[in-house]
Amino acid sequence: MVLLSAVAALYLNSLDAPFIFDDFPAIVRNATLREGWPSWAMLRPPAEAAGATGRPVVNATLALDYTLGGLNVRGYHLTNLILHALVTLALWGVVRRTLRGRTGHQPVHAEALAFTLAALWAVHPLLTETVVCVVQRNEELVAWFYLLTLYGFIRSAATTAAWPRRLWAAAAVAACALGMASKEVMVSAPLVVWLYDRTFLAGSFRGALRARGGWYAGLAATWGLLAVLMLTNDQRAGTVGFGLGVSSWDYLLTQCRALVLYLKLAFWPHPLVVDYGTAVVHHWQQVWAHGLFVLLLLAATVWALFRRPVPGFLAACFFLLLAPSSSFVPLTTQTIAEHRMYLPLAPLLLLALLAAHALRPRPFLLFALPLLLPLAFLSSRRIAVFRDEERLWSATVAA
């Protein structure tokens, strides 16, 4: 209830924010929303629907909002708020059950760590774009299904009774499939679950496959749904993929700068920008320091996977979650976007909290929880900017 109250208190002020940016092609000019709910049309979003293109689950939620309230923006924002609350609870549940299963973490510490992480994540200013920009609910939906997949796996692995175990496994596979139909980020979910199994349960990749091979086959099958959606949507109306004017090498160089920026914003969220434009880096000399830093982080992640599995798992989650949008596949209309950090922010914050907990097991709450107020204050100020479109774009140009 505390987590839900914090989300509601912070984001209720966003309900009157106008449609902006990609909301117009995805909602205002999206003819499939007018077919009613439910309908077959809502599962076939048009090529020009921006964040809803090729993502039938996202389009279906927009169609439901339109059926209930037309173009009244309050209903769309309320759905985004509810989704953010659901993701917060799912994150809390996954981390809580994971830490309670680890030796060395007393239940009270697991509860405190899980609650602190969920609270800090829920009010972080870096998430405001995802929650307030309606069409960015694709990040919320894929994050929710991603975490539900992990949660279902955790419950299935911890249950001894046959039918409940199968039901949790089936729920996890269903969540994975819905995530594939929400955003392409979900492609890494089966790999992350396998890595989770190896880190916290089976002890080895081979042992995880041996113990739950059929379960992983079900997860891998959901890749087929993602493949169909990608093949039938023609590079998302010419905005994603190869041969669109941005080379893979230039995009990769640009992502070196993007990854360092995302890391900085995770711990110092200022300034926040809704649109970074379409500029790309063409010469490695421009980002050699960024690239070297990212390579060192990747090397440290590989080392930690074998020597310090838990920090290694969290660092690997950060890179795997960002890999579909921040590697070598060009996204020509947005080369850098803060909303991509919606779920990847969670493993970064958990890494920081675990480090603080390792240094001072109990007093860490004394400095972790007081961060809630300044983070919430910064988020509230950012939400106020979104409420005025002229102010938002003036701030964007200034930054």
Side-chain angles (χ1 to χ4, degrees):
M1 292 305 298
V2 172
L3 292 173
L4 291 175
S5 299
V7 171
L10 180 61
Y11 281 101
L12 278 175
N13 195 38
S14 70
L15 295 185
D16 291 318
F19 291 131
I20 62 166
F21 209 23
D22 285 346
D23 291 344
F24 290 100
I27 301 168
V28 179
R29 299 194 294 269
N30 187 347
T32 63
L33 306 188
R34 287 127 181 93
E35 299 295 325
W37 198 99
S39 70
W40 285 112
M42 72 182 189
L43 299 179
R44 299 190 301 273
E48 301 78 21
T53 302
R55 299 162 182 171
V57 171
V58 177
N59 205 56
T61 65
L62 295 174
L64 178 60
D65 285 337
Y66 185 86
T67 300
L68 295 175
L71 292 177
N72 185 339
V73 73
R74 292 177 66 89
Y76 297 89
H77 285 304
L78 182 61
T79 300
N80 277 31
L81 190 158
I82 292 171
L83 285 171
H84 185 53
L86 291 174
V87 179
T88 301
L89 294 182
L91 176 63
W92 170 66
V94 167
V95 175
R96 174 174 173 266
R97 287 189 172 272
T98 300
L99 293 178
R100 290 180 69 180
R102 294 281 295 171
T103 57
H105 285 284
Q106 297 297 324
V108 64
H109 292 163
E111 298 288 352
L113 279 166
F115 173 80
T116 304
L117 170 70
L120 290 174
W121 180 86
V123 303
H124 199 286
L126 190 52
L127 308 187
T128 50
E129 179 187 337
T130 301
V131 183
V132 181
C133 294
V134 174
V135 75
Q136 297 307 337
R137 72 172 55 169
N138 51 43
E139 297 284 358
E140 295 181 301
L141 284 165
V142 76
W144 189 39
F145 291 129
Y146 212 114
L147 291 169
L148 288 180
T149 301
L150 266 175
Y151 188 81
F153 168 76
I154 295 168
R155 296 299 301 268
S156 176
T159 303
T160 55
W163 276 108
R165 185 175 66 251
R166 292 170 184 167
L167 287 175
W168 279 115
V173 173
C176 193
L178 289 169
M180 297 292 180
S182 300
K183 194 167 185 179
E184 297 79 0
V185 172
M186 198 71 187
V187 68
S188 62
L191 300 177
V192 167
V193 173
W194 188 28
L195 186 57
Y196 181 99
D197 196 353
R198 173 260 183 186
T199 303
F200 297 104
L201 299 175
S204 69
F205 292 112
R206 184 176 297 178
L209 290 176
R210 188 183 304 116
R212 285 170 280 273
W215 199 86
Y216 286 109
L219 286 181
T222 63
W223 280 329
L225 173 60
L226 179 61
V228 170
L229 291 171
M230 293 177 66
L231 291 172
T232 55
N233 280 282
D234 191 27
Q235 296 182 305
R236 293 180 48 78
T239 63
V240 180
F242 308 106
L244 298 175
V246 178
S247 72
S248 295
W249 176 246
D250 287 350
Y251 189 78
L252 186 62
L253 291 177
T254 305
Q255 294 316 297
C256 291
R257 176 177 289 172
L259 287 171
V260 174
L261 173 66
Y262 296 156
L263 288 168
K264 174 257 182 183
L265 291 175
F267 299 102
W268 189 261
H270 179 80
L272 297 176
V273 181
V274 72
D275 181 15
Y276 285 87
T278 59
V280 295
V281 176
H282 296 287
H283 304 288
W284 66 267
Q285 293 93 335
Q286 297 176 262
V287 292
W288 70 268
H290 302 79
L292 180 60
F293 182 64
V294 171
L295 287 175
L296 289 174
L297 290 179
L298 285 169
T301 298
V302 174
W303 175 86
L305 281 173
F306 295 96
R307 301 300 296 271
R308 297 289 187 272
V310 174
F313 168 77
L314 293 173
C317 284
F318 171 76
F319 284 111
L320 286 170
L321 285 165
L322 283 173
S325 60
S326 300
S327 54
F328 60 90
V329 181
L331 281 73
T332 59
T333 53
Q334 278 190 309
T335 54
I336 299 176
E338 292 171 1
H339 58 77
R340 294 171 189 161
M341 276 294 291
Y342 185 72
L343 188 55
L345 178 64
L348 286 183
L349 293 181
L350 184 53
L351 264 175
L353 287 177
L354 288 176
H357 180 65
L359 292 173
R360 299 180 68 87
R362 293 189 180 183
F364 91 99
L365 284 177
L366 298 179
F367 71 84
L369 284 178
L371 291 174
L372 287 171
L373 287 179
L375 287 175
F377 173 73
L378 291 174
S379 293
S380 179
R381 291 188 61 183
R382 183 62 177 166
I383 292 168
V385 174
F386 277 100
R387 289 170 54 86
D388 185 331
E389 193 171 5
E390 182 177 347
R391 182 182 176 189
L392 173 66
W393 290 108
S394 296
T396 302
V397 171

